[in-house]
Amino acid sequence: METIKKRLEFIYEDQDIIDPVWTEIKKRIHEIKKKPIRQRKQKWDEKDIVLITYGDQVKEEEIPALKTFKNMYDRFLAKNFEIVHILPFYPYSSDDGFSVIDYKKVNPTIGEWKEVKDLSKSARLMFDYVCNHISSQSDWFQNYLEGNPHYKDYFIELDPSVDLSTVTRPRAYPLLTKFKLLNGEERYVWTTFSEDQIDLNFSNPQVLLEMLDVLLFYIEEGAEYIRLDAVGFIWKEIGTTCIHHEKAHELVKLFRDVVDEVANGTVVITETNVPHKDNISYFGNGHDEAHMVYQFPLPPLVLYSIMRENGKVLTDWAKTLHDTSQDTTYFNFLASHDGIGMNPIRGIIPEEEILSMVKDLQEEVALVSYKRNPDGSESPYEINVTYLDALNKKTDNDDLRVKRFIVAHSILLTLPGVPAVYIQSILGSRNDYKGVSRTGMNRSINRQKYKLEELEEDLLNQGTLRHKVYNQLSDMISVRKEEKLFHPNIAMEVMDLGEAFFAFDRFNKYGEKLTVIHNLKNEEVECSITGKFINVLTQNKIEIDDSIVIGPYQFLWLKPIN
């Protein structure tokens, strides 16, 4: 508990502020510790695979969407996924949930807290903690506009003449948005992501107390994984980049301390879509900050490597991944509700190659979103596309689509870390152009919602792309979950087998080893390895005297045998 006080002293410095805030935090922690909090699993293992989904992903008439989802999950997905990340399921005004109107309510279109609790009986749950910003339609901001003095410093007012050129801009929108107060006065307010997403002012300790109350409420309601959305932007200081500020890191550490105190085993995950060096800084010293960080370079690197049929960049990058502490690991993913970010591979892939890849995808299957640079120019920020379509051309047949898609997911499932699969991926979904037309948002291309009856029919029909993807990915996941050498913290040694391959060994301190080889080319390639193995995917024994020919997009999970 004393560590929390030290965090407050670093963040606020003024003792007159710190003492009452510290007293209030202690009180709230003691109150929640008296309540029956569900026991958490202590540490992760090879069985922990996350499903990322919206709460209203599947629908039936007159039935709460979360109830429909639970029924669908129990039938089709529970065997694959231990953890379900329900993307923001609170009332919202934009950005498909990430502009939260009320942190403590469930969006009535999908159900109530009862439906959330019912789902927690089938899966461990991951909640979004949208801590950087709140909806312009929230009570907090509406009170601010009405002149309620309590809310005056909940948000950041600035004169538009202030020089903000050093501030990192994740979007091509103005940083400040003009609002008119009830009395007719105009104010310019900090809005990092959009005019509807109002940044919270954590330099006001009352905001910290409000948001800690939200965090504790989520723990009480069953959140076992907590995703800190856009947390890198949480602390603003004029004259800095306003991203990864040392006080932003201190706030994450404080959140971690509170979580450990009231519900040890709850996993804190930082969502920072930034270059790898900055991303892993949220591990702190390996024991005091995030338990997991998103592995943001992975989606674009795997995509680039399969598009170019060349694993050199992926191999070189993987060699730089250091083993994490036993208290931390990577949160690996290929697809999510957002696009495929380009920033995390800047510095890994030359800019001209990034632009070439973006151009190729844009001409074939993808939409592109841009960010504004300090000099006023724009750069591609993310590719908007389903991962299945990103890997393939319009003219490819379904068999080829599935091969590319499944080899990509073998990489996801075998690297160190906890893997997460977006629901559009396990469902074998294609681009939703109608959704983009309906919402005007590029990201809608990868956020399609379904009628349960139609979706189930596709999943059960052996001739559909959905059926092929769902079954092949499910089979691979089931093997992965039974292999202890895929524990998230088991060591990895990357191998150089030629540019056609991405390969590595996973091994433990007892000398047990598993070799993973991916052919990234659409042709047979000879691979120079020797030994006697069992392919854990097929249970077939293989004896290799000199080399083995690996088929197009084939992958092997090989365990040595005597």
Side-chain angles (χ1 to χ4, degrees):
M1 290 280 281
E2 285 301 315
T3 305
I4 297 173
K5 185 177 182 182
K6 288 182 175 147
R7 306 273 186 230
L8 293 171
E9 289 170 348
F10 182 86
I11 293 166
Y12 294 115
E13 302 172 10
D14 184 346
Q15 203 65 41
D16 290 338
I17 293 175
I18 295 162
D19 288 340
V21 173
W22 168 229
T23 300
E24 186 62 27
I25 291 174
K26 282 194 296 183
K27 175 186 171 186
R28 296 186 189 191
I29 287 175
H30 286 144
E31 286 173 353
I32 196 170
K33 287 176 81 169
K34 294 176 184 176
K35 298 180 180 181
I37 302 297
R38 177 175 170 172
Q39 289 295 308
R40 269 63 173 159
K41 179 177 180 178
Q42 299 298 307
K43 290 299 173 68
W44 40 80
D45 58 33
E46 62 280 357
K47 296 185 184 299
D48 289 330
I49 302 177
V50 180
L51 175 72
I52 306 168
T53 184
Y54 283 99
D56 61 348
Q57 198 68 61
V58 288
K59 300 178 181 179
E60 295 174 282
E61 292 290 335
E62 313 255 332
I63 296 177
L66 272 175
K67 182 175 182 179
T68 296
F69 173 78
K70 181 185 183 302
N71 292 336
M72 183 259 194
Y73 170 82
D74 288 342
R75 185 178 180 191
F76 289 98
L77 301 171
K79 65 180 181 180
N80 296 325
F81 302 103
E82 304 290 317
I83 303 135
V84 174
H85 172 197
I86 320 173
L87 290 157
F89 51 87
Y90 327 112
Y92 70 95
S93 52
S94 64
D95 198 19
D96 280 348
F98 286 92
S99 185
V100 180
I101 294 174
D102 191 325
Y103 290 114
K104 292 187 175 182
K105 290 183 179 177
V106 175
N107 188 336
T109 63
I110 67 171
E112 299 177 350
W113 283 110
K114 174 187 179 298
E115 278 71 44
V116 177
K117 191 172 291 293
D118 285 346
L119 180 58
S120 74
K121 296 173 184 176
S122 294
R124 289 144 60 210
L125 299 184
M126 176 170 165
F127 287 15
D128 275 284
Y129 182 49
V130 187
C131 51
N132 179 72
H133 50 263
I134 195 169
S135 168
S136 65
Q137 296 182 27
S138 64
D139 284 348
W140 295 2
F141 193 65
Q142 290 302 308
N143 270 280
Y144 162 81
L145 293 178
E146 290 167 8
N148 185 330
H150 179 76
Y151 293 92
K152 181 182 183 303
D153 295 321
Y154 270 48
F155 310 101
I156 302 168
E157 295 179 358
L158 277 180
D159 189 304
S161 65
V162 173
D163 181 7
L164 299 174
S165 60
T166 60
V167 176
T168 297
R169 301 294 297 115
R171 300 283 188 274
Y173 302 129
L175 182 61
L176 301 179
T177 299
K178 183 171 67 175
F179 289 94
K180 184 174 286 189
L181 306 187
L182 186 63
N183 64 10
E185 295 179 7
E186 292 181 343
R187 294 286 188 273
Y188 285 83
V189 181
W190 198 299
T191 53
T192 297
F193 292 96
S194 80
E195 63 183 11
D196 186 42
Q197 293 166 298
I198 317 297
D199 288 57
L200 293 166
N201 179 18
F202 276 85
S203 67
N204 175 1
Q206 188 59 39
V207 170
L208 174 65
L209 288 174
E210 291 266 27
M211 293 306 291
L212 284 177
D213 191 53
V214 172
L215 182 63
L216 292 171
F217 176 75
Y218 289 168
I219 290 172
E220 189 178 352
E221 291 297 327
E224 298 192 38
Y225 279 49
I226 295 175
R227 175 185 184 269
L228 307 186
D229 178 65
V231 73
F233 296 92
I234 202 170
W235 192 272
K236 282 78 174 175
E237 181 181 334
I238 306 303
T240 73
T241 61
C242 298
I243 188 172
H244 316 314
H245 194 285
E246 59 183 355
K247 292 189 178 181
H249 281 280
E250 204 67 19
L251 282 167
V252 175
K253 292 176 182 179
L254 189 151
F255 296 153
R256 160 80 178 264
D257 290 339
V258 170
V259 163
D260 285 348
E261 186 67 32
V262 301
N264 192 36
T266 303
V267 176
V268 173
I269 307 175
T270 48
E271 187 267 331
T272 50
N273 190 351
V274 293
H276 185 67
K277 169 179 66 71
D278 298 316
N279 193 30
I280 62 174
S281 70
Y282 287 86
F283 279 142
N285 66 12
H287 310 282
D288 67 345
E289 203 165 340
H291 297 93
M292 297 184 191
V293 300
Y294 273 73
Q295 188 67 281
F296 276 106
L298 188 63
L301 281 175
V302 171
L303 174 59
Y304 175 84
S305 301
I306 293 176
M307 283 180 67
R308 300 297 187 244
E309 299 191 4
N310 189 314
K312 184 178 187 311
V313 171
L314 186 58
T315 297
D316 290 345
W317 168 78
K319 288 178 180 178
T320 70
L321 296 179
H322 301 297
D323 293 341
T324 60
S325 75
Q326 291 303 303
D327 291 331
T328 59
T329 193
Y330 296 107
F331 189 82
N332 294 329
F333 71 107
L334 293 180
S336 75
H337 61 288
D338 288 338
I340 302 169
M342 294 293 99
N343 282 353
I345 55 171
R346 290 192 158 97
I348 299 174
I349 296 176
E351 187 67 18
E352 60 271 19
E353 277 292 300
I354 294 174
L355 295 177
S356 175
M357 176 174 69
V358 170
K359 180 174 178 289
D360 290 347
L361 286 162
Q362 194 169 25
E363 290 178 351
E364 188 68 35
V365 293
L367 304 176
V368 179
S369 297
Y370 292 85
K371 70 179 183 76
R372 182 167 296 160
N373 301 316
D375 63 2
S377 64
E378 293 187 346
S379 300
Y381 169 72
E382 67 179 17
I383 301 165
N384 302 113
V385 63
T386 65
Y387 212 79
L388 180 62
D389 274 339
L391 289 166
N392 294 284
K393 298 183 184 301
K394 292 177 182 176
T395 55
D396 291 334
N397 61 51
D398 281 355
D399 287 343
L400 185 55
R401 290 180 199 283
V402 174
K403 279 186 177 181
R404 289 198 181 107
F405 193 68
I406 296 300
V407 73
H409 281 78
S410 172
I411 296 171
L412 170 68
L413 292 169
T414 56
L415 283 172
V418 169
V421 178
Y422 186 36
I423 193 162
Q424 305 291 358
S425 293
I426 190 74
L427 297 180
S429 297
R430 306 288 303 278
N431 285 344
D432 182 16
Y433 295 110
K434 290 181 180 178
V436 175
S437 298
R438 185 176 62 255
T439 66
M441 286 175 38
N442 284 359
R443 285 179 170 177
S444 297
I445 200 169
N446 193 26
R447 298 181 177 182
Q448 187 174 359
K449 309 297 170 65
Y450 304 96
K451 292 181 179 178
L452 179 63
E453 184 179 358
E454 294 174 358
L455 182 61
E456 287 183 339
E457 184 178 343
D458 273 355
L459 288 173
L460 295 171
N461 183 342
Q462 294 186 13
T464 65
L465 179 60
R466 287 196 197 284
H467 178 89
K468 293 174 184 176
V469 168
Y470 166 77
N471 280 279
Q472 290 191 37
L473 190 48
S474 295
D475 289 346
M476 185 163 55
I477 287 172
S478 68
V479 175
R480 193 261 188 201
K481 291 174 68 173
E482 297 305 315
E483 177 49 65
K484 293 187 181 300
L485 286 171
F486 288 138
H487 186 287
N489 292 110
I490 291 287
M492 172 180 72
E493 183 175 355
V494 181
M495 304 164 65
D496 280 311
L497 295 179
E499 293 186 349
F501 300 106
F502 177 53
F504 49 86
D505 289 327
R506 300 289 302 273
F507 58 92
N508 62 22
K509 62 184 178 181
Y510 305 110
E512 297 172 313
K513 185 175 78 169
L514 195 154
T515 298
V516 181
I517 305 172
H518 303 92
N519 178 9
L520 303 180
K521 284 185 171 290
N522 189 21
E523 60 185 54
E524 293 183 344
V525 183
E526 188 172 348
C527 180
S528 297
I529 58 169
T530 60
K532 296 180 180 178
F533 306 94
I534 184 166
N535 184 345
V536 299
L537 286 163
T538 62
Q539 292 303 304
N540 292 333
K541 292 182 179 179
I542 303 173
E543 184 170 352
I544 307 170
D545 295 326
D546 182 45
S547 64
I548 185 173
V549 174
I550 302 180
Y553 301 120
Q554 185 182 359
F555 50 93
L556 304 172
W557 299 358
L558 303 176
K559 187 175 283 189
I561 54 176
N562 295 326

